[in-house]
Each structure stands twice: as structure tokens, then as C-alpha cells.
């Protein structure tokens, strides 16, 4: 849902996305030390296949974005992880485009990093309720921010995309709810079973 | 979850097609150049010409027609929304009205051009990149100046997709054995959350064991990047023809 294909957004938006992505990538690569490489790659693989996991939501089904959980577990390194997964999705599944990769990485990666910063600042060990609430906020919040940025990239490309932007926001509401519940459960389990995963880096 | 497509793990397509004989770097550069030109092409004629070039690339790569068409028709929801709304949101000469909404000729043309660009880039990516072994893609990107850490991350990611898939199958089977059926509601969403949480914990622990073993054998954070040799005559020839056809596409747009 959040993948913009090539041919939709205009050149200024493409340039803005590329510049922002290059900056975040530079900072993210610094956090991607050799010791953390395997963990970042596991999360990148999870993000890559997440687009294939469909969860029932009423009459339709939604697929998750998972950028909130990426940020919570990886911090800054979430950005390169998302970029690599997006490139692989474009090449192997045909989701999104090539030139627009910077815009897509910005729309999904920046909310991930922000959610990660919030989660890491507020999370405490052995506080399950707090973990669940923070997880829900990160999961739902990252999807909400991605939706807003996606709509902005569309509207900035032309008034004629306003309707699409509105429809995108509308369809994102169920994703937000499902993703919040999902992230709360997933991070709750990680906090119980392997809390050190949420503390390092 | 749909199973991971088999072509992730093995290269697809006949090995002897012209595209398959090209240097991976040539293919990466050709795809990147194509995408930039397709997006930059002005006017519907130039965009259709780009689509033609992409179709030619598919023929050169000897991609199976049926898979290509299926990929093209499997429109994402997003793309469908764009194509359906554009005729009604771009102002211009009225073409027809539908329940109070007026579709403009300009809007139809805009929708057509978006579809043409998106399909052209997708076809070119299918022909040039998706048909290549993904490990070769990682090495080609590294050779072309992509940071070594990023290229290594990509190679690791490809490996873990396979690991994750096996792990996912195991956990999903355990859920099925306990009669879990996905429905709308907190129970299902939470169960999936735990499933992915468990998947994360198991896979990260496994990756740590693998990494410790790799370090023991002298791994220092990145793979030795393969020396891909020098581009041959075929690469220069293909590059020249490719560039010339893309220049033609741009020229059509300026007419």
C-alpha cells in the first residue's frame, strides 16, 4: 500500500526523497557495525516478507508495514534495513519503482527511526503494560506518519492526486489499528523472552 | 503468508539469453539508466516508446510471456486508485460523465502515462535485474560503489529470508496443530504478533550463533567482494544500443 510506483511523483519530490534518504542512510550506516549486521539483516528480511503476510480485517485483509517494530529493535540501523528490503521488493516482487526508491525509503524509514527513538527513550525492562502501550504507540504511530508523508508526497506532486491521498489515509486506518495490536504483542513477547534485544545499540 | 517465490533462491530464465550473458554491472547500470529516462520522458508518445524498449529487453532476456503478463496485471491497490481517480481529477476537456463526475481527456492521458512509465520500469527491472542471481546483484552493486556495509547487508538479508521462511513454516504448523484459524479480532492479531515476535527471537538467536562461527573463521564484517573481471565486447555493444534507444526515446519526447 505504501509503495509508490515510478511515474507518479514529480521531480522535486523525487529529489527531496533522494536527499533525505541519503542523509538518513549515512547516519544509519554508522549504526550498522559488523557486530550488529546479522540482527539488522534478520529484521530487514522480516520487513521484506511482511508484505506477503495478510491479516484479516473485516471483509478485506491488510498487510503490515512493520516499520514501528523495525525502529524499536534497530534504532538508526532501521533505515538501511528498510532501504535494502525495499530494493529487493522492487526487484523481486515488482513493488514500487527504482527512481522513486528514495521517496519510498524516506516515507517508511523516517517514521521507523523516530518510533525507535521514542521507544528507546521510554522503554523499561520488566514493565509489561508500559511495553504494550509503547509498542502500540510505535506500531500505530509509525504507520500514521508513513501515511501522512505518503499523502504529502502525492499532493506535492499535483492537486490531481488529492483524492488518491484522501483514499490512502482512509484505507490506512484499519492498518494502523491492526499494526498497533500486532506490534504491542510482538514487542511484548520480545521484552519477555529476550529483553536485551531492545536495549543494545 | 504466500510462500517465498522459488526464483529468490535460484536464477530463473534460460541461462543462454543475451541478457544472461551480460556482466551484472552492465545490467545494473542499464536498468538504472532506463528508469531515469522513462521517468524523465516527456509526453505520452515518448513514454510508450520507453514501454516498447522495455518489451524489447524482455524479449532479449527471453522472459516467459505468461509470468511477465501476470506481473503486469497484478496491480497494486495503490496503482489502481491512481488510475481510477486521475481521469476525474485532472481538469480539461470533458470526455464523458459518470454519476455527476466528469472525466477529462487530459486526465485519461495522464492515467495512461502513469501506467506506461510504471509498467516500463517494472518490465525493465524484470528483464535486467530480477532474472539475475540476487547474490550477483549484491556484488555488482558493491563494485559500482555502493557502500560495502550496505551490499553486505543485502547479501545477509537474502540469506535470512530463507531462514525466516523455514522458521515461519515451523511455527505456523505448531499453530495449526492447535487449531488456530485467522479471523478478524484481537485474538488473531495478537497471535500473529506473538508469532512474529517468536520468529524474531529465534532468528536473531540463530543469527548470533552463525555470526559467532563466522567470526571464529575470520569474518570481519564484510564479504570479499567478487572480482567480476572486465566488461567484454558484448557489454559495450549492448550498452551502446541501449543508450542509443533511450536517446531516441528522449528525442521522441522533444518533438
Amino acid at each position: 500500500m505504501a509503495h509508490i510506483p515510478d511515474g507518479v511523483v514529480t521531480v522535486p519530490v523525487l529529489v527531496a526523497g533522494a536527499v533525505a534518504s541519503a542523509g538518513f542512510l549515512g547516519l544509519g550506516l554508522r549504526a550498522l557495525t559488523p557486530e550488529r549486521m546479522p540482527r539488522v539483516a534478520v529484521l530487514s528480511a522480516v520487513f521484506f516478507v511482511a508484505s506477503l503476510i495478510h491479516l484479516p480485517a473485516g471483509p478485506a485483509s491488510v498487510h503490515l508495514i512493520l516499520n514501528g517494530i523495525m525502529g524499536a529493535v534497530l534504532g538508526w540501523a532501521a533505515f538501511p534495513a528498510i532501504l535494502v528490503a525495499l530494493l529487493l521488493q522492487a526487484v523481486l516482487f515488482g513493488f514500487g519503482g527504482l527512481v522513486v526508491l528514495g521517496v519510498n525509503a524516506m516515507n517508511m524509514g523516517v517514521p521507523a527511526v523516530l518510533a525507535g527513538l521514542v521507544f528507546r527513550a521510554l522503554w523499561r525492562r520488566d514493565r509489561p503494560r508500559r511495553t504494550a502501550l509503547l509498542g502500540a504507540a510505535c506500531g500505530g504511530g509509525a504507520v500514521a506518519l508513513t501515511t501522512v508523508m505518503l499523502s504529502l508526497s502525492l499532493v506535492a506532486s499535483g492537486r490531481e492526486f488529492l483524492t488518491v491521498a484522501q483514499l490512502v489515509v482512509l484505507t490506512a486506518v484499519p492498518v494502523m489499528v491492526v499494526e498497533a495490536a500486532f506490534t504491542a504483542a510482538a514487542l511484548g513477547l520480545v521484552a519477555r523472552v529476550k529483553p536485551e534485544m531492545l536495549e543494545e545499540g | 503468508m504466500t510462500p517465498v517465490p522459488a526464483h529468490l533462491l535460484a536464477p530463473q530464465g534460460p541461462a543462454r539469453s543475451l541478457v544472461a550473458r551480460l556482466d551484472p554491472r552492465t545490467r545494473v547500470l542499464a536498468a538504472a539508466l532506463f528508469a531515469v529516462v522513462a521517468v524523465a520522458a516527456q509526453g505520452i508518445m515518448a513514454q510508450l516508446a520507453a514501454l516498447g524498449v522495455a518489451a524489447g529487453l524482455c524479449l532479449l532476456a527471453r522472459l516467459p510471456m505468461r509470468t511477465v503478463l501476470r506481473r503486469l496485471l497484478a496491480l497494486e491497490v495503490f496503482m489502481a486508485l491512481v488510475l481510477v481517480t486521475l481521469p476525474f481529477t485532472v481538469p480539461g476537456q470533458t470526455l464523458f460523465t459518470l454519476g455527476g463526475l466528469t472525466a477529462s481527456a487530459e486526465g485519461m492521458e495522464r492515467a495512461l502515462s502513469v501506467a506506461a512509465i510504471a509498467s516500463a520500469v517494472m518490465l525493465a527491472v524484470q528483464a535486467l535485474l530480477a532474472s539475475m542471481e540476487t547474490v550477483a546483484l549484491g556484488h555488482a552493486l558493491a563494485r559500482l560503489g555502493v557502500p560495502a556495509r550496505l551490499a553486505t547487508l543485502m547479501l545477509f538479508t537474502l540469506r535470512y529470508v530463507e531462514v525466516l521462511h523455514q522458521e515461519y513454516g515451523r511455527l505456523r504448523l505448531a499453530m495449526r496443530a492447535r487449531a488456530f484459524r485467522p479471523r478478524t479480532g484481537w485474538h488473531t492479531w495478537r497471535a500473529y504478533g506473538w508469532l512474529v515476535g517468536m520468529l524474531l527471537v529465534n532468528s536473531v538467536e540463530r543469527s548470533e550463533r552463525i555470526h559467532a562461527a563466522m567470526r571464529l573463521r575470520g569474518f570481519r564484517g564484510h564479504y570479499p567482494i567478487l572480482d567480476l573481471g572486465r566488461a567484454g565486447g558484448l557489454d559495450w555493444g549492448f550498452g551502446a544500443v541501449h543508450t542509443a534507444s533511450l536517446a531516441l526515446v528522449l528525442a521522441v519526447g522533444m518533438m
Side-chain angles (χ1 to χ4, degrees):
Chain A
M1 190 65 225
H3 299 69
I4 304 179
D6 271 326
V8 175
V9 296
T10 49
V11 174
V13 178
L14 288 174
V15 171
V19 169
S21 285
F24 271 80
L25 180 63
L27 291 166
L29 282 181
R30 234 188 274 166
L32 183 59
T33 55
E35 295 75 46
R36 305 194 69 218
M37 187 71 79
R39 171 171 311 179
V40 179
V42 166
L43 267 292
S44 183
V46 169
F47 185 88
F48 171 73
V49 293
S51 53
L52 301 178
I53 304 181
H54 290 264
L55 294 189
S61 74
V62 298
H63 75 73
L64 301 168
I65 302 183
L66 294 194
N67 49 353
I69 201 171
M70 299 282 286
V73 180
L74 296 180
W76 279 94
F79 200 89
I82 287 178
L83 182 72
V84 161
L86 285 176
L87 176 64
L88 290 176
Q89 284 179 338
V91 170
L92 297 169
F93 298 153
F95 294 165
L98 280 191
V99 182
V100 79
L101 197 62
V103 177
N104 283 332
M106 171 180 75
N107 289 347
M108 290 184 238
V110 172
V113 170
L114 291 181
L117 291 177
V118 171
F119 186 86
R120 278 145 178 264
L122 300 177
W123 183 73
R124 300 284 176 275
R125 215 183 240 251
D126 299 322
R127 300 275 293 275
R129 272 187 64 86
R130 196 184 174 115
T131 306
L133 282 177
L134 269 176
C138 281
V143 173
L145 191 54
T146 294
T147 312
V148 169
M149 291 175 67
L150 173 63
S151 313
L152 284 180
S153 357
L154 288 173
V155 175
S157 299
R159 295 280 306 164
E160 65 269 27
F161 289 114
L162 191 61
T163 319
V164 180
Q166 286 162 341
L167 288 172
V168 163
V169 172
L170 213 63
T171 50
V173 173
V175 183
M176 236 180 298
V177 175
V178 175
E179 184 119 1
F182 172 91
T183 309
L187 287 178
L189 186 129
V190 172
R192 238 185 0 242
V193 180
K194 200 173 161 65
E196 59 275 20
M197 239 173 98
L198 301 173
E199 280 168 344
E200 300 153 10
Chain B
M1 184 168 103
T2 345
V4 173
H7 68 261
L8 254 186
L9 313 173
Q12 58 173 177
R16 299 312 314 162
S17 75
L18 179 99
V19 170
R21 275 182 285 155
L22 291 172
D23 186 299
R25 285 167 297 182
T26 310
R27 296 165 72 171
V28 171
L29 286 179
L33 186 65
F34 181 91
V36 170
V37 169
V39 170
Q42 295 292 321
I44 187 70
M45 289 317 290
Q47 287 148 2
L48 288 177
L51 191 57
V53 174
L57 288 171
C58 286
L59 287 180
L60 282 184
R62 290 205 222 144
L63 291 188
M65 267 314 238
R66 190 179 295 179
T67 9
V68 172
L69 282 180
R70 210 175 45 216
R71 269 289 163 82
L72 267 188
L73 292 177
L75 271 187
E76 269 193 284
V77 187
F78 180 83
M79 195 59 181
L81 285 180
V82 169
L83 295 185
V84 169
T85 54
L86 271 182
F88 300 100
T89 52
V90 178
Q93 213 179 2
T94 307
L95 203 64
F96 63 90
T97 53
L98 193 83
L101 294 167
T102 52
S104 68
E106 284 82 353
M108 288 299 263
E109 197 183 314
R110 188 70 196 278
L112 194 62
S113 94
V114 167
I117 298 172
S119 325
V121 174
M122 204 177 97
L123 285 182
V125 166
Q126 292 294 308
L128 292 167
L129 300 183
S131 53
M132 161 174 19
E133 210 172 339
T134 25
V135 174
L137 178 62
H139 285 287
L141 285 174
R143 278 278 164 214
L144 288 170
V146 166
R149 278 183 181 179
L150 203 60
T152 305
L153 176 61
M154 189 172 138
L155 295 173
F156 265 97
T157 302
L158 284 165
R159 169 71 188 110
Y160 287 132
V161 167
E162 207 186 321
V163 172
L164 270 176
H165 193 240
Q166 285 171 8
E167 195 70 35
Y168 175 85
R170 227 166 50 81
L171 291 172
R172 200 68 188 74
L173 187 68
M175 287 167 85
R176 273 227 304 281
R178 289 161 181 78
F180 171 78
R181 288 179 69 189
R183 267 195 226 118
T184 301
W186 296 104
H187 176 70
T188 294
W189 300 337
R190 212 173 44 186
Y192 270 103
W194 286 338
L195 167 67
V196 171
M198 206 60 231
L199 196 62
L200 277 180
V201 170
N202 285 346
S203 312
V204 164
E205 281 183 345
R206 183 168 166 184
S207 79
E208 280 164 357
R209 288 196 301 276
I210 295 171
H211 194 58
M214 287 174 79
R215 276 220 306 274
L216 186 67
R217 289 162 180 80
F219 182 73
R220 284 209 244 146
H222 56 84
Y223 290 115
I225 298 300
L226 293 180
D227 190 356
L228 296 170
R230 311 189 61 171
L234 188 66
D235 295 288
W236 290 110
F238 172 82
V241 175
H242 187 63
T243 313
S245 25
L246 290 179
L248 212 62
V249 167
L250 286 179
V252 168
M254 281 173 213
M255 278 194 297

